[in-house]
Amino acid sequence: MIEREITPHLLRLFTQYPFVTVTGPRQAGKTTLCRAAFGDLGHADLDHPRTREFAATDPEGFLAQFPDGAVLDEVHRVPEILSHLKVLGDEKRRNGLFVLTGSEQFGLLDSVSQSLAGRTAILRLLPFTLAERTAAGAGGRLEDILYSGSYPRIHDQHLDPTEALANYFETYVERDARRIGQIRNIDGFQRFVGLCAGRIGQLVNLSALGSDAGVSHTTANAWLSVLVRSDIVFRLPPFHTNIRKRLVKSPKLYFHDVGLASYLNGIDDPRQLVTSSLRGALFENLVVSEVLKHRFNQGRRSNLSFYRDSSGLECDLLYRRGEEMAAIEIKSGATIASDWFGPIDRVAASLQQITAKAVVYGGEEPQRRTVGEVVPLSGLATMLRNLDHTP
């Protein structure tokens, strides 16, 4: 069993708060993480019918089983227990009581914020990072990464990615999408998700998405909200400033797992990705999602945005660090091109906050140039750590 990068922050926060809440998508490894980190605590899975009935009908008796605390999995299944946890926390007046796990698609954070405000730390666990994926024995070729993605079970159990991702998506549609979005037009919804996968890295255009899916703008907006709430996709916000340039206001769309995006785009063999027209978009998705994981695994919120103005000048990713920002361009090519820094330089001329520039690319050789860094995918994590610690 590999140690997840978020573990030190989980352990630290448990000593500072009565409760720690870990949320994230299905099969991201929340239960495995918490049981490994807190092996000496009790454990209860509220997804189990009898356990759930006990907790719902006799919450005080249920919690009395765990005088030294416990890991409560799928706590969103019994949201009413949160008010009893609040009372228990106020009575005991100490940190390190319970670790709660669950999925945001069922309103977990809303419930936790209402009942345990100020009493719980909140962490978001996403699928494996590149380093965790490697530690689990997964292949490191770029095409393999884009194809198989980072859901832990695929690599822990050596599953066929196409089969596993097909089952994941079917389970998601049947269990989560129906329940949280009250979606009845399942065929239309599946088509909509596929269209989203074909538009990764593009500006969100709900009118076009709805038209192509055969649904209204309102329905497209509701369906996209379902995908965001259930941690299938995320929206990268545009950078806003008071400079005179006209900046776009629409976010860009990405999937939390690039393997799922590849599957939904019909990729069933990594060799397809050598020449696929989707390679660049999928590589961009991989890098942006990896940077987001880095933030969450430090127990921090997203500090990411992108830049695009009305003339088409764009920077793929802006990484804020205090009052400063790093500008990051993303290129899937394996050969370094001299003009890669051109757009970043023009963006930096407009934004004085940009104090570092880098290009993350699909090759293997790192370079330090006078205009900025050229960073291979394998060096991304080190670059981010350096950015975090640069004054």
Side-chain angles (χ1 to χ4, degrees):
M1 181 182 298
I2 68 167
E3 180 175 306
R4 302 297 298 269
E5 293 175 16
I6 204 171
T7 300
H9 303 284
L10 173 61
L11 294 171
R12 172 179 59 82
L13 290 169
F14 191 62
T15 67
Q16 298 173 342
Y17 289 85
F19 310 101
V20 178
T21 301
V22 181
T23 186
R26 285 194 183 277
Q27 296 186 24
K30 299 185 292 294
T31 299
T32 303
L33 163 72
C34 293
R35 296 191 74 168
F38 303 104
D40 55 338
L41 291 183
H43 176 262
D45 182 2
L46 295 175
D47 212 23
H48 191 285
R50 282 183 293 183
T51 304
R52 184 165 65 249
E53 180 186 16
F54 183 12
T57 57
D58 185 9
E60 293 183 2
F62 172 77
L63 293 174
Q65 300 177 101
F66 308 111
D68 298 320
V71 175
L72 303 183
D73 269 326
E74 309 293 341
V75 74
H76 58 263
R77 300 286 280 167
V78 191
E80 58 268 28
I81 203 171
L82 295 174
S83 59
H84 294 273
L85 285 170
K86 173 183 178 296
V87 172
L88 187 62
D90 290 347
E91 289 176 350
K92 295 203 170 186
R93 300 180 64 82
R94 68 175 177 85
N95 296 329
L97 294 175
F98 286 85
V99 182
L100 316 175
T101 81
S103 300
E104 169 55 8
Q105 61 259 47
F106 303 110
L108 173 65
L109 294 186
D110 286 343
S111 300
V112 165
S113 298
Q114 291 176 15
S115 300
L116 300 179
R119 298 169 177 83
T120 184
I122 296 173
L123 291 174
R124 289 190 66 189
L125 180 70
L126 296 178
F128 279 160
T129 63
L130 290 170
E132 291 169 342
R133 193 179 178 281
T134 299
R141 280 196 323 145
L142 178 55
E143 292 78 23
D144 292 329
I145 297 170
L146 297 177
Y147 166 62
S148 61
S150 297
Y151 284 114
R153 193 165 185 274
I154 290 176
H155 305 293
D156 288 342
Q157 303 297 320
H158 306 290
L159 303 179
D160 176 87
T162 298
E163 291 179 357
L165 291 165
N167 291 332
Y168 183 94
F169 183 61
E170 290 298 324
T171 301
Y172 162 71
V173 170
E174 291 299 322
R175 289 187 59 177
D176 294 349
R178 283 180 182 270
R179 187 184 307 172
I180 68 173
Q182 298 180 338
I183 295 170
R184 296 179 177 82
N185 182 3
I186 293 299
D187 290 341
F189 181 73
Q190 290 179 320
R191 184 164 57 250
F192 176 82
V193 181
L195 289 167
C196 288
R199 287 166 166 79
I200 51 176
Q202 297 181 20
L203 298 180
V204 174
N205 186 329
L206 291 171
S207 296
L209 271 171
S211 177
D212 290 349
V215 299
S216 68
H217 177 282
T218 301
T219 298
N221 185 46
W223 284 358
L224 183 59
S225 296
V226 169
L227 292 173
V228 171
R229 282 181 60 199
S230 48
D231 286 319
I232 297 295
V233 305
F234 64 97
R235 290 171 289 205
L236 181 68
F239 176 78
H240 288 296
T241 181
N242 59 2
I243 61 176
R244 293 180 179 179
K245 286 182 177 291
R246 292 182 59 194
L247 303 179
V248 301
K249 297 181 180 179
S250 298
K252 289 167 65 172
L253 187 65
Y254 295 97
F255 275 64
H256 278 296
D257 184 70
V258 70
L260 183 59
S262 291
Y263 162 74
L264 292 168
N265 276 300
I267 303 296
D268 57 13
D269 189 306
R271 290 172 294 186
Q272 294 173 249
L273 289 161
V274 176
T275 58
S276 173
S277 61
L278 292 165
R279 179 186 173 94
L282 290 168
F283 182 75
E284 181 179 325
N285 194 134
L286 172 64
V287 173
V288 175
S289 63
E290 193 71 11
V291 178
L292 188 63
K293 291 173 191 176
H294 170 78
R295 292 295 298 179
F296 289 164
N297 285 343
Q298 306 303 308
R300 299 173 180 174
R301 296 187 178 187
S302 174
N303 64 346
L304 313 180
S305 61
F306 73 96
Y307 180 100
R308 183 185 291 183
D309 65 24
S310 57
S311 71
L313 180 62
E314 181 175 6
C315 177
D316 293 325
L317 195 61
L318 295 175
Y319 187 90
R320 184 177 290 279
R321 43 184 191 161
E323 297 300 316
E324 300 178 348
M325 290 188 297
I328 302 171
E329 191 72 5
I330 303 169
K331 300 291 185 181
S332 64
T335 303
I336 299 171
S338 58
D339 62 351
W340 278 355
F341 281 95
I344 301 181
D345 287 337
R346 292 195 294 275
V347 172
S350 297
L351 299 179
Q352 294 182 349
Q353 302 98 313
I354 292 177
T355 56
K357 294 176 285 186
V359 173
V360 179
Y361 81 121
E364 298 181 358
E365 179 188 357
Q367 290 187 359
R368 285 189 176 272
R369 300 190 171 200
T370 55
V371 289
E373 284 188 88
V374 181
V375 181
L377 191 62
S378 60
L380 177 58
T382 298
M383 183 193 80
L384 294 172
R385 287 193 293 269
N386 290 339
L387 286 175
D388 289 342
H389 292 97
T390 300

